Amino acid sequence: MLDAHLAANGPFLLGKTLSVADFYLVMLMRWSRAMPKPATAWPHLAAVATQLKARPSFATLYQREGLTEWA
């Protein structure tokens, strides 16, 4: 449902404007990485994750929290 919403209304959850909801979405997507079909298997969800993970703030987050990259 979220991928279809992004396809029709994106590129972000609330349309053209990045919001806190997108950051929350990417956090939830990270939790799905070990599931049989992770959230990044859907193209529009994957695009949101790619855009947000490219932000400098994500590099800082990864460093502070000791996180590793995920697909």
Side-chain angles (χ1 to χ4, degrees):
M1 289 174 60
L2 286 172
D3 194 68
H5 171 80
L6 289 166
N9 304 295
F12 301 109
L13 284 174
L14 301 179
K16 295 180 184 192
T17 304
L18 180 66
S19 73
V20 69
D22 298 294
F23 287 93
Y24 189 66
L25 173 63
V26 173
M27 180 204 61
L28 294 174
M29 289 173 65
R30 182 178 167 85
W31 292 354
S32 78
R33 69 190 182 278
M35 292 180 176
K37 187 172 182 181
T40 53
W42 285 274
H44 298 94
L45 287 170
V48 169
T50 298
Q51 288 182 56
L52 268 64
K53 291 188 321 181
R55 298 174 65 86
S57 60
F58 262 73
T60 302
L61 170 69
Y62 280 31
Q63 181 184 22
R64 288 182 182 171
E65 297 295 326
L67 300 174
T68 58
E69 182 59 37
W70 54 285

